[in-house]
Each structure stands twice: as C-alpha cells, then as structure tokens.
C-alpha cells in the first residue's frame, strides 16, 4: 500500500495538497469497504487541518462527515460567529457544538438564549445544557 505511506509522509511534512490528493483518491463516504470509509474520514480531517474551511463548508451541504468536521474545526478555531450562523441556518450539529462551547466557558445564559432562538424544542440541546447545570446554581 505505497500510496498510504506516501500520504502519511506528506501529512507529517504538512504537505496538505499531496496528502489530500493521495487520500481522496482512496476515499468514499459510506463505502461498504471500511478502509475507503476510514479514508473518507481521514480526508475530511486533512481538509480541516489544511484550513480548507471553504471546501469543508461546500462538502458539508451533502456530507455529514464534512459537516461534523467543519463544526469541530470552527470550535477549535474559536469561530463562534460561524457556528452561530450555521446553527441559525438549521445545522443541528453546529447548535450542539456551540451550546457545549458556551456551557464549558461558563456562559450558560447565552447558551440558553441560543437554544431558545435556534432550537427551542430540541431535546438534545436542552440535555447538553442540563449536563452543565449544577444542582445549587438554579440555572434554567
């Protein structure tokens, strides 16, 4: 599996173009071949690490793995406004990532406002907030 070693070497060198080209040629979303599916996930990770957010954003329209990796990448980069916009546009994954980020940074009230604005009936968003409430805080 020569391409695999070449891709790993390129990845270690941070030669994103080479790594992405090699991996994407052997990647397939939801493939029946688990290796091709794993390569798809690797491809999405490489795109994020290469900071190709526009490509991830485009792929996120139809690819759940790209959407998840994009939202994680936005969080890692502290791009709350982008997460908020994605949540506003109906991306539930972005909503969950944003709510968790707000709760983890002691902004439960802001998280509550975000849930009320973008997913007032979303039970999972409410569960995320509930995990961060302390019994004595009385936070709603």
């Amino acid at each position: 599996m020569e391409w695999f070693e070449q891709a790993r070497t390129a990845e270690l060198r941070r030669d994103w173009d080479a790594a992405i080209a090699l991996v994407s040629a052997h990647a397939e979303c939801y493939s029946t071949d688990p290796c091709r599916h794993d390569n798809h996930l690797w491809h999405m990770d490489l795109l994020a690490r290469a900071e190709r957010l526009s490509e991830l954003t485009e792929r996120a329209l139809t690819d759940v793995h790209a959407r998840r990796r994009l939202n994680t990448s936005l969080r890692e980069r502290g791009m709350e406004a982008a997460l908020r916009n994605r949540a506003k546009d109906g991306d539930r994954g972005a909503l969950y990532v944003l709510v968790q980020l707000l709760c983890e940074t002691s902004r439960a009230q802001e998280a509550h406002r975000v849930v009320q604005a973008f997913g007032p009936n979303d039970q999972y968003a409410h569960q995320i907030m509930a995990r961060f409430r302390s019994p004595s805080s009385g936070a709603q």
Side-chain angles (χ1 to χ4, degrees):
M1 203 186 272
E2 186 176 311
W3 73 266
F4 183 85
E5 282 79 25
Q6 290 173 343
R8 283 286 182 213
T9 300
E11 180 180 22
L12 291 171
R13 284 192 324 257
R14 302 174 77 89
D15 181 353
W16 303 123
D17 291 338
I20 289 166
L22 287 161
V23 173
S24 67
H26 300 274
E28 184 181 337
C29 186
Y30 292 118
S31 174
T32 56
D33 176 350
C35 290
R36 292 188 71 81
H37 180 71
D38 287 347
N39 291 338
H40 174 68
L41 299 177
W42 184 14
H43 180 210
M44 297 304 102
D45 185 57
L46 289 170
L47 290 174
R49 292 172 52 212
E51 298 184 5
R52 292 189 184 179
L53 299 184
S54 60
E55 189 172 343
L56 266 178
T57 299
E58 184 178 322
R59 289 175 176 274
L61 295 172
T62 58
D63 183 335
V64 67
H65 304 106
R67 191 166 37 255
R68 287 178 187 152
R69 190 58 183 96
L70 173 62
N71 291 334
T72 300
S73 188
L74 294 172
R75 177 196 167 114
E76 290 167 348
R77 289 169 173 71
M79 298 174 72
E80 285 182 34
L83 282 169
R84 188 178 302 269
N85 287 336
R86 292 185 61 73
K88 181 180 178 184
D89 290 341
D91 182 342
R92 289 290 177 233
L95 174 64
Y96 305 149
V97 169
L98 179 59
V99 169
Q100 185 167 351
L101 174 63
L102 293 171
C103 289
E104 287 174 350
T105 54
S106 301
R107 295 182 283 165
Q109 297 246 345
E110 188 176 349
H112 180 74
R113 285 192 296 274
V114 165
V115 171
Q116 288 307 104
F118 306 136
N121 298 318
D122 189 307
Q123 292 303 309
Y124 187 65
H126 287 282
Q127 288 174 12
I128 293 169
M129 287 191 311
R131 285 197 307 254
F132 288 91
R133 285 189 202 126
S134 65
S136 62
S137 73
Q140 297 278 338

